[in-house]
Amino acid sequence: MARIVMKFGGTSVADLDRIKNVARHVKREVDAGHEVAVVVSAMSGKTNELVGWVQGTPKVVGANSPFYDAREYDAVVASGEQVTSGLLAIALHAMDINARSWQGWQVPIRTDNAHGAARILEIDGADIIKRMGEGQVAVIAGFQGLGPDNRIATLGRGGSDTSAVAIAAAVKADRCDIYTDVDGVYTTDPRIVPQARRLKKIAFEEMLEMASLGAKVLQVRSVELAMVHKVRTFVRSSFEDPDAPGMGDLLNPPGTLICDEDEIVEQEVVTGIAYAKDEAQISLRRLADRPGVSAAIFGPLAESHINVDMIVQNISEDGSKTDMTFTVPSGDVEKAIKVLGENKEKIGYDVVQNESGLVKVSVIGIGMRSHAGVAATAFKALAEKGINIKAITTSEIKISILIDGPYAELAVRTLHSCYGLDKN
Ligand code: ADP
Ligand code: ASP
Ligand code: MG
């Protein structure tokens, strides 16, 4: 007997037939004698619709508006998961499986106060563990918890992954299975590159980079939690026949295992390619080249919650003036320019320029730590395709390259094949 947490994403619960199919996956594990908790997302498209409704309400003009009420945003957008958790419990009852739905506040899943992007602080798993011990399946609404103000708080887009891993850690599950519309983690988004290969295993650190650099298959926070709490997490497909051979394999289910790097025997130099759209570049021209100038720029931006990513400072030609270029999400450009304008005197620059619609393409692999020339290979391959590089950042296990938006897919394909990641 094992204890298993199964999470089903939006496309897996998109309609009643798919919910019945999910119930068959759950039944397989219950019939095998396991204790099961299930985490569900809203039906696909539902959360977007709910967010649209909130943003379309008079006076509510967006998250930065003084009228925007994040508590009511959460009350509205959390409702999608309430529906699917109830529907799945009903579908399980129809199969004679003892099941009960749970909302975040009922568990309870305690979060911090950051409505709309809350972090899970604590989960009291006692009730769920007791019920599971009595043979009842817990069907838990993902994406939501209870804030310190006793109000519903949501965990940010894609947050049901995080709900699932956090619950798996809280109930000390033997495994957390993230069921989605692809059958594992691929070397890059298989919808962009059909030659992408499914990975049998990927190291936590690599998955963390893949997710933070744009691969939305797992929410970043879920990978962090899996890494810290050593949750054995698999990404697998809900679209395979629930009763196909091997689907109920306890130790080696089909899909991709996210694990410690020591568990990976043959480590490639490059594991995957990720991309993030809607990046924007801002340049401050003819800045005073003096101590404190970076603090004067990035301090106020941070205070305004603007997430600055790549930063490039040019060498000063005359020792007194320099240029500084950095990237922010496209949606934050206006706000950033406003903040920079308000601080113009203090920073001391001549003009500010900006360009939106850029894409950041990243090459990720733990093997880079011990291999030279990985970046040079990327630069050469992109040059051969005539793709201009606007900025570069690197870390021990990743290289990120900023390019013009229209070249995104070509760049991803080019990098994918230049590191020999294409299948066959
Ligand atoms: P869910 O609704 O189940 O949470 P998501 O849409 O959030 O599913 O995530 C699954 C999607 O992630 C896939 O359909 C795929 O297009 C995308 N994706 C991006 N990068 C990768 C990758 N490296 N491997 C697998 N899927 C990826
Ligand atoms: N339904 C939420 C979203 O679309 C959470 C999730 O699916 O993980 O972001
Ligand atoms: Mg998702």
Side-chain angles (χ1 to χ4, degrees), residues 41-42 47 81 143 157-161:
S41 289
T47 310
E81 275 73 8
F143 183 50
R157 299 306 304 271
S160 298
D161 299 327

Side-chain angles (χ1 to χ4, degrees), residues 214-235:
K216 70 163 188 166
V217 60
L218 287 176
Q219 200 197 34
V220 179
R221 182 81 185 122
S222 71
V223 187
E224 284 170 1
L225 286 180
M227 185 157 94
V228 170
H229 296 284
K230 300 250 174 276
V231 177
R232 222 170 157 72
T233 304
F234 286 85
V235 174

Side-chain angles (χ1 to χ4, degrees), residues 7-136:
K7 179 258 171 177
F8 295 90
T11 40
S12 306
V13 294
D15 56 38
L16 291 180
D17 281 336
R18 295 214 179 141
I19 290 177
K20 283 181 201 154
N21 182 59
V22 163
R24 290 178 59 210
H25 281 285
V26 175
K27 182 171 165 34
R28 181 190 64 235
E29 307 295 354
V30 171
D31 287 350
H34 304 314
E35 290 184 359
V36 178
V38 187
V39 174
V40 285
S41 289
M43 291 180 179
S44 66
K46 193 62 190 175
T47 310
N48 287 345
E49 183 185 43
L50 296 168
V51 170
W53 285 348
V54 174
Q55 288 175 345
T57 309
K59 278 184 155 183
V60 178
V61 238
N64 305 320
S65 152
F67 300 113
Y68 186 87
D69 190 322
R71 289 170 225 83
E72 303 311 343
Y73 167 96
D74 277 350
V76 175
V77 301
S79 65
E81 275 73 8
Q82 174 157 351
V83 173
T84 45
S85 59
L87 289 174
L88 179 57
I90 294 170
L92 290 167
H93 296 163
M95 290 177 160
D96 281 331
I97 295 171
N98 181 6
R100 194 49 74 202
S101 69
W102 298 74
Q103 306 311 300
W105 61 268
Q106 289 172 306
V107 175
I109 297 171
R110 296 267 172 203
T111 72
D112 65 12
N113 209 12
H115 283 278
R119 283 166 80 94
I120 295 177
L121 298 178
E122 198 190 350
I123 297 181
D124 182 351
D127 263 0
I128 290 181
I129 292 174
K130 181 168 163 280
R131 301 277 195 109
M132 286 196 294
E134 294 161 5
Q136 188 175 78

Side-chain angles (χ1 to χ4, degrees), residues 171-407:
V171 304
K172 301 198 168 40
D174 298 283
R175 221 173 68 206
C176 180
D177 289 355
I178 308 283
Y179 287 82
T180 182
D181 55 3
V182 285
D183 60 357
V185 178
Y186 279 70
T187 45
T188 192
D189 189 343
R191 296 191 198 286
I192 300 278
V193 183
Q195 293 85 359
R197 268 189 294 122
R198 182 158 62 88
L199 297 161
K200 193 71 200 128
K201 292 177 180 177
I202 181 168
F204 286 122
E205 287 87 347
E206 290 172 326
M207 192 64 237
L208 209 50
E209 291 287 4
M210 291 276 278
S212 1
L213 296 167
K216 70 163 188 166
V217 60
L218 287 176
Q219 200 197 34
V220 179
R221 182 81 185 122
S222 71
V223 187
E224 284 170 1
L225 286 180
M227 185 157 94
V228 170
H229 296 284
K230 300 250 174 276
V231 177
R232 222 170 157 72
T233 304
F234 286 85
V235 174
R236 53 187 298 189
S237 167
S238 71
F239 291 101
E240 278 164 48
D241 177 0
D243 301 311
M247 288 296 280
D249 192 317
L250 189 58
L251 295 178
N252 285 304
T256 302
L257 172 66
I258 327 290
C259 59
D260 274 330
E261 63 179 286
D262 333 330
E263 266 197 68
I264 301 175
V265 186
E266 284 191 34
Q267 185 68 61
E268 308 279 343
V269 177
V270 170
T271 303
I273 314 289
Y275 66 95
K277 288 188 174 162
D278 296 323
E279 302 277 315
Q281 193 176 44
I282 297 180
S283 300
L284 295 174
R285 309 301 299 271
R286 291 179 290 283
L287 274 172
D289 193 11
R290 58 170 168 77
V293 73
S294 295
I297 299 170
F298 299 115
L301 291 173
E303 278 159 29
S304 304
H305 304 286
I306 295 169
N307 216 340
V308 173
D309 184 17
M310 304 168 122
I311 302 176
V312 182
Q313 182 180 344
N314 291 359
I315 288 187
S316 169
E317 268 181 38
D318 57 3
S320 73
K321 298 278 178 196
T322 182
D323 294 335
M324 181 89 79
T325 300
F326 55 90
T327 62
V328 298
S330 282
D332 282 345
V333 172
E334 259 178 62
K335 195 165 129 193
I337 302 252
K338 186 164 165 272
V339 172
L340 293 169
E342 287 162 2
N343 290 276
K344 187 166 188 212
E345 297 274 290
K346 223 163 78 202
I347 304 171
Y349 60 87
D350 201 355
V351 279
V352 48
Q353 299 167 327
N354 72 87
E355 190 180 0
S356 292
L358 307 180
V359 168
K360 184 174 65 174
V361 185
S362 304
V363 178
I364 296 134
I366 279 181
M368 271 184 219
R369 283 185 196 139
S370 48
H371 278 80
V374 181
T377 306
F379 303 152
K380 182 161 173 278
L382 293 177
E384 280 167 7
K385 297 282 188 217
I387 300 173
N388 189 38
I389 298 175
K390 292 176 159 290
I392 303 164
T393 53
T394 60
S395 80
E396 245 193 339
I397 67 165
K398 71 123 207 265
I399 304 155
S400 290
I401 298 167
L402 190 70
I403 58 168
D404 280 323
Y407 290 102

